[in-house]
Amino acid sequence: MFCEKIDLYQYFGLKRQGGEQGYLNTYLPEAPDYPTRVRPAMLVIAGGGYGFVSPREKECVALAYVSQGFAAFTLEYSVAPISFPAQLIEGAMAMAYIRENAAKLAVKPDKIAAVGFSAGGHLTGMLATCFDRAEVKAALKEKAALVRPDAVILSYPVITGGEKAHRGSFDNLCGDNTELVDALSLENCVTEQSSPAFIWATADDNAVPSENSLFMALAYKTAGVPFELHIFESGVHGLSLATEETSWINEPVQKWVSLSVTWLKNRGFVLSD
């Protein structure tokens, strides 16, 4: 496996203001100099309430998708006290980097997905719905056209800034800017151009209420954008793969990985010679 850490700010010629992350880690089954298969790609965006980036939702998830025929990547993005739009710009840079370097990475440029967890699900949801915001266009110029994921997996995602909000995530991302909270409440951002989505959560999540996922699914239904929704009966927040490796074992919830892979394969995310 070929692993590399890419400084996205350096690659795109952007200056850090101080303390930003913005690094992309690669998990390529074959070294770029000797590609033998062309693969779909998966960008993994861990959660952490925009206050940290959870290691339980990074490399292990990337390797789970590698085992299913994907080239995988993990994003190290900025967290509080750094606020919006750094996180969206860093996610956008990651997507644009993968697509621009598709031939080198031996991935399909039109089969690049992203999977996000909790607040990372919010960032993934922003990539799916807010890829054309002015901040992205200002940072990436013409390369902003490379940002939109071809599909997203939203895992117990933070979605709404309203009544069922995970308030800590929005506080870290937006501070006391209530207008920005409303603007980044993702159920209000879905349009017919949004990326298709596979959404899952647990009904009794006591940190990010499952209504977040229901709101997003309803927004997708209203916009006429393809989606699939799974609400598992029970499970704590932050399950990741729901295996011993990721701290909490929940066998029913473990199925989300294979369900998402089947959904993606039905959308053409398959390994090719």
PDB file of all heavy atoms in Angstrom, residues 21-54:
ATOM      1  N   GLN A  21      -5.005  23.196   9.567  1.00  0.00           N
ATOM      2  CA  GLN A  21      -4.521  21.876   9.169  1.00  0.00           C
ATOM      3  C   GLN A  21      -4.534  21.799   7.639  1.00  0.00           C
ATOM      4  O   GLN A  21      -3.743  22.435   6.997  1.00  0.00           O
ATOM      5  CB  GLN A  21      -5.376  20.796   9.818  1.00  0.00           C
ATOM      6  CG  GLN A  21      -5.165  20.697  11.326  1.00  0.00           C
ATOM      7  CD  GLN A  21      -3.755  20.271  11.681  1.00  0.00           C
ATOM      8  OE1 GLN A  21      -3.267  19.241  11.212  1.00  0.00           O
ATOM      9  NE2 GLN A  21      -3.091  21.052  12.496  1.00  0.00           N
ATOM     10  N   GLY A  22      -5.420  20.979   7.067  1.00  0.00           N
ATOM     11  CA  GLY A  22      -5.484  20.896   5.610  1.00  0.00           C
ATOM     12  C   GLY A  22      -4.464  19.949   5.029  1.00  0.00           C
ATOM     13  O   GLY A  22      -3.712  20.317   4.116  1.00  0.00           O
ATOM     14  N   TYR A  23      -4.452  18.711   5.540  1.00  0.00           N
ATOM     15  CA  TYR A  23      -3.555  17.672   5.028  1.00  0.00           C
ATOM     16  C   TYR A  23      -4.383  16.480   4.565  1.00  0.00           C
ATOM     17  O   TYR A  23      -5.404  16.135   5.176  1.00  0.00           O
ATOM     18  CB  TYR A  23      -2.557  17.219   6.091  1.00  0.00           C
ATOM     19  CG  TYR A  23      -1.633  18.311   6.558  1.00  0.00           C
ATOM     20  CD1 TYR A  23      -1.922  19.050   7.707  1.00  0.00           C
ATOM     21  CD2 TYR A  23      -0.475  18.623   5.846  1.00  0.00           C
ATOM     22  CE1 TYR A  23      -1.084  20.054   8.140  1.00  0.00           C
ATOM     23  CE2 TYR A  23       0.373  19.638   6.279  1.00  0.00           C
ATOM     24  CZ  TYR A  23       0.066  20.350   7.420  1.00  0.00           C
ATOM     25  OH  TYR A  23       0.903  21.364   7.838  1.00  0.00           O
ATOM     26  N   LEU A  24      -3.931  15.864   3.496  1.00  0.00           N
ATOM     27  CA  LEU A  24      -4.611  14.701   2.929  1.00  0.00           C
ATOM     28  C   LEU A  24      -3.684  13.500   3.000  1.00  0.00           C
ATOM     29  O   LEU A  24      -2.536  13.569   2.560  1.00  0.00           O
ATOM     30  CB  LEU A  24      -4.992  14.978   1.471  1.00  0.00           C
ATOM     31  CG  LEU A  24      -5.817  13.898   0.763  1.00  0.00           C
ATOM     32  CD1 LEU A  24      -7.237  13.835   1.333  1.00  0.00           C
ATOM     33  CD2 LEU A  24      -5.868  14.174  -0.742  1.00  0.00           C
ATOM     34  N   ASN A  25      -4.170  12.397   3.570  1.00  0.00           N
ATOM     35  CA  ASN A  25      -3.403  11.152   3.652  1.00  0.00           C
ATOM     36  C   ASN A  25      -3.948  10.147   2.639  1.00  0.00           C
ATOM     37  O   ASN A  25      -5.169   9.963   2.542  1.00  0.00           O
ATOM     38  CB  ASN A  25      -3.507  10.563   5.060  1.00  0.00           C
ATOM     39  CG  ASN A  25      -3.006  11.522   6.125  1.00  0.00           C
ATOM     40  OD1 ASN A  25      -1.845  11.897   6.132  1.00  0.00           O
ATOM     41  ND2 ASN A  25      -3.899  11.944   7.017  1.00  0.00           N
ATOM     42  N   THR A  26      -3.052   9.506   1.902  1.00  0.00           N
ATOM     43  CA  THR A  26      -3.469   8.560   0.878  1.00  0.00           C
ATOM     44  C   THR A  26      -3.309   7.124   1.365  1.00  0.00           C
ATOM     45  O   THR A  26      -2.375   6.798   2.100  1.00  0.00           O
ATOM     46  CB  THR A  26      -2.652   8.730  -0.413  1.00  0.00           C
ATOM     47  OG1 THR A  26      -1.324   8.236  -0.200  1.00  0.00           O
ATOM     48  CG2 THR A  26      -2.581  10.181  -0.846  1.00  0.00           C
ATOM     49  N   TYR A  27      -4.235   6.277   0.925  1.00  0.00           N
ATOM     50  CA  TYR A  27      -4.182   4.827   1.169  1.00  0.00           C
ATOM     51  C   TYR A  27      -4.474   4.154  -0.173  1.00  0.00           C
ATOM     52  O   TYR A  27      -5.620   3.842  -0.493  1.00  0.00           O
ATOM     53  CB  TYR A  27      -5.199   4.418   2.234  1.00  0.00           C
ATOM     54  CG  TYR A  27      -4.937   5.060   3.567  1.00  0.00           C
ATOM     55  CD1 TYR A  27      -5.417   6.337   3.850  1.00  0.00           C
ATOM     56  CD2 TYR A  27      -4.181   4.417   4.546  1.00  0.00           C
ATOM     57  CE1 TYR A  27      -5.158   6.949   5.068  1.00  0.00           C
ATOM     58  CE2 TYR A  27      -3.917   5.017   5.767  1.00  0.00           C
ATOM     59  CZ  TYR A  27      -4.410   6.290   6.020  1.00  0.00           C
ATOM     60  OH  TYR A  27      -4.146   6.891   7.229  1.00  0.00           O
ATOM     61  N   LEU A  28      -3.399   3.971  -0.948  1.00  0.00           N
ATOM     62  CA  LEU A  28      -3.527   3.456  -2.303  1.00  0.00           C
ATOM     63  C   LEU A  28      -3.052   2.011  -2.337  1.00  0.00           C
ATOM     64  O   LEU A  28      -1.905   1.732  -1.976  1.00  0.00           O
ATOM     65  CB  LEU A  28      -2.716   4.300  -3.281  1.00  0.00           C
ATOM     66  CG  LEU A  28      -3.011   5.812  -3.268  1.00  0.00           C
ATOM     67  CD1 LEU A  28      -2.082   6.531  -4.232  1.00  0.00           C
ATOM     68  CD2 LEU A  28      -4.464   6.089  -3.597  1.00  0.00           C
ATOM     69  N   PRO A  29      -3.903   1.095  -2.796  1.00  0.00           N
ATOM     70  CA  PRO A  29      -3.506  -0.316  -2.822  1.00  0.00           C
ATOM     71  C   PRO A  29      -2.275  -0.578  -3.666  1.00  0.00           C
ATOM     72  O   PRO A  29      -1.525  -1.506  -3.403  1.00  0.00           O
ATOM     73  CB  PRO A  29      -4.739  -1.020  -3.397  1.00  0.00           C
ATOM     74  CG  PRO A  29      -5.869  -0.112  -3.036  1.00  0.00           C
ATOM     75  CD  PRO A  29      -5.301   1.279  -3.157  1.00  0.00           C
ATOM     76  N   GLU A  30      -2.061   0.237  -4.702  1.00  0.00           N
ATOM     77  CA  GLU A  30      -0.853   0.113  -5.518  1.00  0.00           C
ATOM     78  C   GLU A  30      -0.163   1.466  -5.599  1.00  0.00           C
ATOM     79  O   GLU A  30      -0.818   2.501  -5.584  1.00  0.00           O
ATOM     80  CB  GLU A  30      -1.187  -0.362  -6.939  1.00  0.00           C
ATOM     81  CG  GLU A  30      -1.708  -1.790  -7.002  1.00  0.00           C
ATOM     82  CD  GLU A  30      -3.149  -1.850  -7.469  1.00  0.00           C
ATOM     83  OE1 GLU A  30      -3.722  -0.803  -7.771  1.00  0.00           O
ATOM     84  OE2 GLU A  30      -3.690  -2.961  -7.492  1.00  0.00           O
ATOM     85  N   ALA A  31       1.136   1.452  -5.665  1.00  0.00           N
ATOM     86  CA  ALA A  31       1.889   2.695  -5.786  1.00  0.00           C
ATOM     87  C   ALA A  31       1.525   3.405  -7.081  1.00  0.00           C
ATOM     88  O   ALA A  31       1.308   2.760  -8.116  1.00  0.00           O
ATOM     89  CB  ALA A  31       3.390   2.399  -5.753  1.00  0.00           C
ATOM     90  N   PRO A  32       1.448   4.736  -7.065  1.00  0.00           N
ATOM     91  CA  PRO A  32       1.054   5.481  -8.260  1.00  0.00           C
ATOM     92  C   PRO A  32       1.941   5.213  -9.475  1.00  0.00           C
ATOM     93  O   PRO A  32       1.472   5.324 -10.613  1.00  0.00           O
ATOM     94  CB  PRO A  32       1.160   6.935  -7.811  1.00  0.00           C
ATOM     95  CG  PRO A  32       0.973   6.894  -6.344  1.00  0.00           C
ATOM     96  CD  PRO A  32       1.610   5.615  -5.897  1.00  0.00           C
ATOM     97  N   ASP A  33       3.216   4.867  -9.260  1.00  0.00           N
ATOM     98  CA  ASP A  33       4.097   4.613 -10.397  1.00  0.00           C
ATOM     99  C   ASP A  33       3.773   3.303 -11.107  1.00  0.00           C
ATOM    100  O   ASP A  33       4.190   3.085 -12.238  1.00  0.00           O
ATOM    101  CB  ASP A  33       5.558   4.567  -9.930  1.00  0.00           C
ATOM    102  CG  ASP A  33       6.050   5.932  -9.487  1.00  0.00           C
ATOM    103  OD1 ASP A  33       5.391   6.925  -9.859  1.00  0.00           O
ATOM    104  OD2 ASP A  33       7.065   6.005  -8.789  1.00  0.00           O
ATOM    105  N   TYR A  34       3.022   2.414 -10.430  1.00  0.00           N
ATOM    106  CA  TYR A  34       2.736   1.106 -11.005  1.00  0.00           C
ATOM    107  C   TYR A  34       1.261   0.739 -10.835  1.00  0.00           C
ATOM    108  O   TYR A  34       0.930  -0.297 -10.270  1.00  0.00           O
ATOM    109  CB  TYR A  34       3.607   0.033 -10.342  1.00  0.00           C
ATOM    110  CG  TYR A  34       5.080   0.304 -10.475  1.00  0.00           C
ATOM    111  CD1 TYR A  34       5.780   0.924  -9.445  1.00  0.00           C
ATOM    112  CD2 TYR A  34       5.784  -0.039 -11.630  1.00  0.00           C
ATOM    113  CE1 TYR A  34       7.137   1.198  -9.562  1.00  0.00           C
ATOM    114  CE2 TYR A  34       7.135   0.231 -11.754  1.00  0.00           C
ATOM    115  CZ  TYR A  34       7.805   0.841 -10.719  1.00  0.00           C
ATOM    116  OH  TYR A  34       9.131   1.118 -10.836  1.00  0.00           O
ATOM    117  N   PRO A  35       0.358   1.590 -11.325  1.00  0.00           N
ATOM    118  CA  PRO A  35      -1.063   1.264 -11.170  1.00  0.00           C
ATOM    119  C   PRO A  35      -1.463   0.084 -12.056  1.00  0.00           C
ATOM    120  O   PRO A  35      -1.091   0.023 -13.223  1.00  0.00           O
ATOM    121  CB  PRO A  35      -1.762   2.558 -11.625  1.00  0.00           C
ATOM    122  CG  PRO A  35      -0.804   3.204 -12.566  1.00  0.00           C
ATOM    123  CD  PRO A  35       0.570   2.848 -12.058  1.00  0.00           C
ATOM    124  N   THR A  36      -2.198  -0.850 -11.489  1.00  0.00           N
ATOM    125  CA  THR A  36      -2.674  -1.990 -12.266  1.00  0.00           C
ATOM    126  C   THR A  36      -4.189  -2.010 -12.388  1.00  0.00           C
ATOM    127  O   THR A  36      -4.712  -2.654 -13.278  1.00  0.00           O
ATOM    128  CB  THR A  36      -2.208  -3.308 -11.634  1.00  0.00           C
ATOM    129  OG1 THR A  36      -2.720  -3.396 -10.304  1.00  0.00           O
ATOM    130  CG2 THR A  36      -0.695  -3.374 -11.599  1.00  0.00           C
ATOM    131  N   ARG A  37      -4.889  -1.342 -11.481  1.00  0.00           N
ATOM    132  CA  ARG A  37      -6.345  -1.272 -11.532  1.00  0.00           C
ATOM    133  C   ARG A  37      -6.763   0.183 -11.386  1.00  0.00           C
ATOM    134  O   ARG A  37      -6.060   0.991 -10.784  1.00  0.00           O
ATOM    135  CB  ARG A  37      -6.979  -2.088 -10.397  1.00  0.00           C
ATOM    136  CG  ARG A  37      -6.440  -3.510 -10.225  1.00  0.00           C
ATOM    137  CD  ARG A  37      -6.833  -4.433 -11.367  1.00  0.00           C
ATOM    138  NE  ARG A  37      -8.256  -4.668 -11.441  1.00  0.00           N
ATOM    139  CZ  ARG A  37      -8.904  -5.602 -10.721  1.00  0.00           C
ATOM    140  NH1 ARG A  37      -8.257  -6.321  -9.825  1.00  0.00           N
ATOM    141  NH2 ARG A  37     -10.198  -5.796 -10.900  1.00  0.00           N
ATOM    142  N   VAL A  38      -7.924   0.511 -11.921  1.00  0.00           N
ATOM    143  CA  VAL A  38      -8.486   1.847 -11.755  1.00  0.00           C
ATOM    144  C   VAL A  38      -9.663   1.722 -10.794  1.00  0.00           C
ATOM    145  O   VAL A  38     -10.572   0.923 -11.015  1.00  0.00           O
ATOM    146  CB  VAL A  38      -8.929   2.445 -13.098  1.00  0.00           C
ATOM    147  CG1 VAL A  38      -9.494   3.854 -12.888  1.00  0.00           C
ATOM    148  CG2 VAL A  38      -7.758   2.485 -14.067  1.00  0.00           C
ATOM    149  N   ARG A  39      -9.630   2.518  -9.740  1.00  0.00           N
ATOM    150  CA  ARG A  39     -10.553   2.332  -8.629  1.00  0.00           C
ATOM    151  C   ARG A  39     -11.438   3.558  -8.402  1.00  0.00           C
ATOM    152  O   ARG A  39     -11.051   4.684  -8.702  1.00  0.00           O
ATOM    153  CB  ARG A  39      -9.757   2.082  -7.336  1.00  0.00           C
ATOM    154  CG  ARG A  39      -8.861   0.869  -7.410  1.00  0.00           C
ATOM    155  CD  ARG A  39      -7.921   0.789  -6.218  1.00  0.00           C
ATOM    156  NE  ARG A  39      -7.017  -0.357  -6.370  1.00  0.00           N
ATOM    157  CZ  ARG A  39      -7.296  -1.593  -5.961  1.00  0.00           C
ATOM    158  NH1 ARG A  39      -8.433  -1.823  -5.335  1.00  0.00           N
ATOM    159  NH2 ARG A  39      -6.450  -2.579  -6.164  1.00  0.00           N
ATOM    160  N   PRO A  40     -12.616   3.329  -7.810  1.00  0.00           N
ATOM    161  CA  PRO A  40     -13.337   4.466  -7.246  1.00  0.00           C
ATOM    162  C   PRO A  40     -12.573   4.972  -6.034  1.00  0.00           C
ATOM    163  O   PRO A  40     -11.731   4.259  -5.471  1.00  0.00           O
ATOM    164  CB  PRO A  40     -14.694   3.856  -6.850  1.00  0.00           C
ATOM    165  CG  PRO A  40     -14.391   2.407  -6.612  1.00  0.00           C
ATOM    166  CD  PRO A  40     -13.294   2.045  -7.585  1.00  0.00           C
ATOM    167  N   ALA A  41     -12.841   6.181  -5.633  1.00  0.00           N
ATOM    168  CA  ALA A  41     -12.125   6.797  -4.513  1.00  0.00           C
ATOM    169  C   ALA A  41     -13.086   7.145  -3.387  1.00  0.00           C
ATOM    170  O   ALA A  41     -14.257   7.473  -3.627  1.00  0.00           O
ATOM    171  CB  ALA A  41     -11.385   8.049  -4.973  1.00  0.00           C
ATOM    172  N   MET A  42     -12.562   7.097  -2.154  1.00  0.00           N
ATOM    173  CA  MET A  42     -13.347   7.467  -0.981  1.00  0.00           C
ATOM    174  C   MET A  42     -12.531   8.400  -0.098  1.00  0.00           C
ATOM    175  O   MET A  42     -11.442   8.045   0.371  1.00  0.00           O
ATOM    176  CB  MET A  42     -13.745   6.231  -0.181  1.00  0.00           C
ATOM    177  CG  MET A  42     -14.579   6.541   1.060  1.00  0.00           C
ATOM    178  SD  MET A  42     -16.177   7.313   0.660  1.00  0.00           S
ATOM    179  CE  MET A  42     -17.074   5.885   0.040  1.00  0.00           C
ATOM    180  N   LEU A  43     -13.049   9.603   0.118  1.00  0.00           N
ATOM    181  CA  LEU A  43     -12.463  10.558   1.048  1.00  0.00           C
ATOM    182  C   LEU A  43     -13.147  10.389   2.399  1.00  0.00           C
ATOM    183  O   LEU A  43     -14.383  10.493   2.498  1.00  0.00           O
ATOM    184  CB  LEU A  43     -12.655  11.987   0.534  1.00  0.00           C
ATOM    185  CG  LEU A  43     -12.241  13.108   1.484  1.00  0.00           C
ATOM    186  CD1 LEU A  43     -10.738  13.073   1.756  1.00  0.00           C
ATOM    187  CD2 LEU A  43     -12.654  14.469   0.920  1.00  0.00           C
ATOM    188  N   VAL A  44     -12.371  10.121   3.443  1.00  0.00           N
ATOM    189  CA  VAL A  44     -12.903   9.880   4.786  1.00  0.00           C
ATOM    190  C   VAL A  44     -12.718  11.135   5.639  1.00  0.00           C
ATOM    191  O   VAL A  44     -11.597  11.644   5.770  1.00  0.00           O
ATOM    192  CB  VAL A  44     -12.196   8.678   5.436  1.00  0.00           C
ATOM    193  CG1 VAL A  44     -12.741   8.436   6.843  1.00  0.00           C
ATOM    194  CG2 VAL A  44     -12.340   7.425   4.575  1.00  0.00           C
ATOM    195  N   ILE A  45     -13.829  11.601   6.241  1.00  0.00           N
ATOM    196  CA  ILE A  45     -13.803  12.810   7.055  1.00  0.00           C
ATOM    197  C   ILE A  45     -14.356  12.471   8.437  1.00  0.00           C
ATOM    198  O   ILE A  45     -15.567  12.290   8.619  1.00  0.00           O
ATOM    199  CB  ILE A  45     -14.603  13.952   6.394  1.00  0.00           C
ATOM    200  CG1 ILE A  45     -14.104  14.202   4.963  1.00  0.00           C
ATOM    201  CG2 ILE A  45     -14.500  15.224   7.228  1.00  0.00           C
ATOM    202  CD1 ILE A  45     -14.844  15.296   4.225  1.00  0.00           C
ATOM    203  N   ALA A  46     -13.464  12.364   9.394  1.00  0.00           N
ATOM    204  CA  ALA A  46     -13.848  11.981  10.757  1.00  0.00           C
ATOM    205  C   ALA A  46     -14.583  13.107  11.458  1.00  0.00           C
ATOM    206  O   ALA A  46     -14.533  14.274  11.053  1.00  0.00           O
ATOM    207  CB  ALA A  46     -12.593  11.591  11.544  1.00  0.00           C
ATOM    208  N   GLY A  47     -15.271  12.731  12.552  1.00  0.00           N
ATOM    209  CA  GLY A  47     -15.986  13.713  13.350  1.00  0.00           C
ATOM    210  C   GLY A  47     -15.158  14.223  14.516  1.00  0.00           C
ATOM    211  O   GLY A  47     -13.953  14.027  14.588  1.00  0.00           O
ATOM    212  N   GLY A  48     -15.864  14.862  15.452  1.00  0.00           N
ATOM    213  CA  GLY A  48     -15.201  15.442  16.622  1.00  0.00           C
ATOM    214  C   GLY A  48     -15.771  16.785  17.001  1.00  0.00           C
ATOM    215  O   GLY A  48     -15.131  17.558  17.726  1.00  0.00           O
ATOM    216  N   GLY A  49     -16.990  17.091  16.541  1.00  0.00           N
ATOM    217  CA  GLY A  49     -17.651  18.332  16.947  1.00  0.00           C
ATOM    218  C   GLY A  49     -16.962  19.599  16.491  1.00  0.00           C
ATOM    219  O   GLY A  49     -17.170  20.665  17.075  1.00  0.00           O
ATOM    220  N   TYR A  50     -16.147  19.516  15.452  1.00  0.00           N
ATOM    221  CA  TYR A  50     -15.323  20.643  14.991  1.00  0.00           C
ATOM    222  C   TYR A  50     -14.395  21.139  16.101  1.00  0.00           C
ATOM    223  O   TYR A  50     -13.894  22.263  16.035  1.00  0.00           O
ATOM    224  CB  TYR A  50     -16.181  21.800  14.460  1.00  0.00           C
ATOM    225  CG  TYR A  50     -16.806  21.530  13.110  1.00  0.00           C
ATOM    226  CD1 TYR A  50     -18.197  21.548  12.953  1.00  0.00           C
ATOM    227  CD2 TYR A  50     -16.032  21.274  11.987  1.00  0.00           C
ATOM    228  CE1 TYR A  50     -18.790  21.313  11.715  1.00  0.00           C
ATOM    229  CE2 TYR A  50     -16.616  21.038  10.745  1.00  0.00           C
ATOM    230  CZ  TYR A  50     -17.997  21.061  10.613  1.00  0.00           C
ATOM    231  OH  TYR A  50     -18.579  20.831   9.393  1.00  0.00           O
ATOM    232  N   GLY A  51     -14.167  20.267  17.121  1.00  0.00           N
ATOM    233  CA  GLY A  51     -13.229  20.604  18.179  1.00  0.00           C
ATOM    234  C   GLY A  51     -11.979  19.749  18.138  1.00  0.00           C
ATOM    235  O   GLY A  51     -10.942  20.117  18.678  1.00  0.00           O
ATOM    236  N   PHE A  52     -12.082  18.571  17.522  1.00  0.00           N
ATOM    237  CA  PHE A  52     -10.949  17.677  17.288  1.00  0.00           C
ATOM    238  C   PHE A  52     -11.341  16.747  16.142  1.00  0.00           C
ATOM    239  O   PHE A  52     -12.483  16.785  15.665  1.00  0.00           O
ATOM    240  CB  PHE A  52     -10.584  16.876  18.552  1.00  0.00           C
ATOM    241  CG  PHE A  52     -11.606  15.837  18.942  1.00  0.00           C
ATOM    242  CD1 PHE A  52     -11.389  14.495  18.672  1.00  0.00           C
ATOM    243  CD2 PHE A  52     -12.780  16.203  19.599  1.00  0.00           C
ATOM    244  CE1 PHE A  52     -12.327  13.532  19.031  1.00  0.00           C
ATOM    245  CE2 PHE A  52     -13.719  15.246  19.973  1.00  0.00           C
ATOM    246  CZ  PHE A  52     -13.489  13.917  19.685  1.00  0.00           C
ATOM    247  N   VAL A  53     -10.390  15.943  15.685  1.00  0.00           N
ATOM    248  CA  VAL A  53     -10.660  14.986  14.611  1.00  0.00           C
ATOM    249  C   VAL A  53     -10.450  13.583  15.177  1.00  0.00           C
ATOM    250  O   VAL A  53      -9.340  13.223  15.569  1.00  0.00           O
ATOM    251  CB  VAL A  53      -9.745  15.231  13.393  1.00  0.00           C
ATOM    252  CG1 VAL A  53     -10.011  14.196  12.311  1.00  0.00           C
ATOM    253  CG2 VAL A  53      -9.973  16.642  12.834  1.00  0.00           C
ATOM    254  N   SER A  54     -11.520  12.806  15.257  1.00  0.00           N
ATOM    255  CA  SER A  54     -11.503  11.522  15.937  1.00  0.00           C
ATOM    256  C   SER A  54     -10.674  10.483  15.186  1.00  0.00           C
ATOM    257  O   SER A  54     -10.977  10.162  14.030  1.00  0.00           O
ATOM    258  CB  SER A  54     -12.929  10.991  16.104  1.00  0.00           C
ATOM    259  OG  SER A  54     -12.912   9.674  16.610  1.00  0.00           O
TER     260      SER A  54
END
